[in-house]
Amino acid sequence: MAEQFIIERLGHQGDGVAPGPVFVPRALPGEVVEGVRAGDRLGEVRIVAPSADRVKAPCRHYQGCGGCALQHASDDFVAAWKVDVVRKALTAQGLEAVFRTIRTSPARSRRRATFAARRTKKGALVGFHGRASETIVEIPDCQLLDPALLAALPVAEALAMAGGSRKGVLSVTATLSEVGLDLAVSGGKPLDGPLQQALAQLTERHGLARLAWDGEVIAMRAPPVQRFGAASVVPPPGAFLQATRSGEAALLEAVREAVGDARRIVDLFAGCGTFSLPLAERAEVHAVEGDRAMTAALDAGWRKAQGLKAVTTEVRDLFRRPLMPDELAPFTAPFEAAVLDPPRAGAEAQVAELAKARLPKIAYVSCNPVTFARDAARLIAAGYRLNWVQVVDQFRWSAHVELAAAFTLADTTGN
């Protein structure tokens, strides 16, 4: 039997939340909705009274595709909601902050995506999974991805035909590089001689920069270079990369302001050098990262670049072995600023040591407002000031929120 509900708010996954709680996909606060309740979910949803913030989804695939969650909401609504997600996370820790205007990446700007590909009786099916479903939805007119990235769809289809099975699903991570598509595939058939030959031929036929199969590079027509400031870096297959160029630029701008004129910087969770290498234009940088291959790519990029100051690297698991105060602030030449860009779990162990080391400036980049707020509370309790928060939305139309923030010791002057 159908029931009616009034949506009170959005949950962290972008669903509407009615009293109960009852979760309603693609509903907005204030809307009256009707549907069939199954546990805490509402299905067969009909919007009885729409919100003024409801808009027509710009993508024709939105109804079935699970790649986006918020195309039915106006840009202004989504921007305000994402800032509020961060504000509420800080409030839960008893904190306040100055928020700068959100920076949102434009449509059709994603340079990296992971496609699902499956062989079928008639060929292959490639796209994104449907919402909470194993069904693959084709997305030839996706409004999220850079048009150049859509060129990976027919390649993924060919990969499924060559090395997929009808029982399994290939995961094809496609990244735009300076010289073409960089693909990393997992979930396919075991690699043997005939398959390796077929994949190498496919790489040539489609003009790929590089193709990796379950972590092994099959063919590389040209190194898939990414530019970080003045340096050219060739990341390992499938390595982390900021989702959009504009999002990366916004985060880098915030980090540069947060570290100010620091002459020695430690970059923690440094990846392939997204921040380390541009910062080296003006400062010496020590880059620490747990992944050896990413660290090697960063180091190679620095060594080939011209005009950068010294960049040293260290392979280290910062969750198990955070840098200690005597390493962060040695008597001889202490670091003047730290950059933190941890995964979703945050940097609890490392933040505890940073708080003891009392570096003058900290730039914190986060993809999880909850763990960021937890870590921010620890820094503030240790005498730091949270100067400002910059929310960056490079995962447009999703519930994902990223941010950069600037901390300084309360008894020092910082930017």
Side-chain angles (χ1 to χ4, degrees), residues 134-225:
E134 293 300 314
T135 301
I136 297 175
V137 178
E138 294 182 299
I139 51 164
D141 297 322
C142 179
Q143 298 298 300
L144 184 66
L145 306 180
D146 186 306
L149 195 60
L150 289 173
L153 294 175
V155 186
E157 183 177 340
L159 288 167
M161 293 294 293
S165 71
R166 288 174 57 187
K167 294 182 179 179
V169 177
L170 286 185
S171 177
V172 182
T173 298
T175 305
L176 291 179
S177 77
E178 295 280 312
V179 294
L181 286 170
D182 181 16
L183 301 188
V185 184
S186 61
K189 294 178 181 179
L191 193 62
D192 57 18
L195 178 56
Q196 186 162 351
Q197 183 177 9
L199 295 175
Q201 292 172 349
L202 188 151
T203 301
E204 288 295 325
R205 185 165 64 250
H206 290 275
L208 303 180
R210 179 174 64 181
L211 174 62
W213 193 267
D214 285 329
E216 181 176 343
V217 176
I218 303 301
M220 185 165 66
R221 297 177 64 254
V225 169

Side-chain angles (χ1 to χ4, degrees), residues 131-396:
R131 182 182 175 88
S133 169
E134 293 300 314
T135 301
I136 297 175
V137 178
E138 294 182 299
I139 51 164
D141 297 322
C142 179
Q143 298 298 300
L144 184 66
L145 306 180
D146 186 306
L149 195 60
L150 289 173
L153 294 175
V155 186
E157 183 177 340
L159 288 167
M161 293 294 293
S165 71
R166 288 174 57 187
K167 294 182 179 179
V169 177
L170 286 185
S171 177
V172 182
T173 298
T175 305
L176 291 179
S177 77
E178 295 280 312
V179 294
L181 286 170
D182 181 16
L183 301 188
V185 184
S186 61
K189 294 178 181 179
L191 193 62
D192 57 18
L195 178 56
Q196 186 162 351
Q197 183 177 9
L199 295 175
Q201 292 172 349
L202 188 151
T203 301
E204 288 295 325
R205 185 165 64 250
H206 290 275
L208 303 180
R210 179 174 64 181
L211 174 62
W213 193 267
D214 285 329
E216 181 176 343
V217 176
I218 303 301
M220 185 165 66
R221 297 177 64 254
V225 169
Q226 301 291 339
R227 293 283 297 182
F228 299 139
S232 296
V233 175
V234 180
F240 173 80
L241 184 71
Q242 296 293 342
T244 69
R245 292 177 179 85
S246 61
E248 180 180 293
L251 292 171
L252 176 58
E253 180 183 324
V255 166
R256 277 180 162 149
E257 181 178 349
V259 301
D261 58 0
R263 295 166 298 178
R264 296 193 73 240
I265 299 169
V266 59
D267 185 5
L268 305 164
F269 306 95
C272 290
T274 302
F275 303 123
S276 295
L277 294 166
L279 290 175
E281 294 168 10
R282 295 185 294 182
E284 295 181 2
V285 180
H286 182 56
V288 187
E289 165 59 45
D291 187 296
R292 187 173 298 277
M294 294 175 75
T295 304
L298 189 164
D299 183 63
W302 171 72
R303 292 180 183 280
K304 294 175 183 177
Q306 300 293 319
L308 298 184
K309 294 186 180 297
V311 175
T312 54
T313 58
E314 181 179 354
V315 180
R316 186 158 170 168
D317 184 339
L318 293 172
F319 293 104
R320 291 187 172 90
R321 294 181 55 236
L323 264 66
M324 305 304 285
D326 61 343
E327 297 173 287
L328 291 163
F331 179 76
T332 51
F335 292 108
E336 298 172 5
V339 177
L340 278 168
D341 185 14
R344 291 189 60 79
E348 189 171 20
Q350 185 61 78
V351 162
E353 303 308 325
L354 277 170
K356 297 173 188 175
R358 299 179 65 77
L359 272 61
K361 301 174 183 179
I362 297 174
Y364 196 129
V365 177
S366 173
C367 59
N368 185 342
V370 173
T371 56
F372 164 72
R374 177 201 67 201
D375 292 346
R378 182 65 178 266
L379 290 172
I380 290 170
Y384 282 87
R385 178 189 298 114
L386 174 54
N387 295 330
W388 46 260
V389 174
Q390 172 71 70
V391 179
V392 176
D393 183 9
Q394 58 177 328
F395 289 89
R396 190 184 181 97

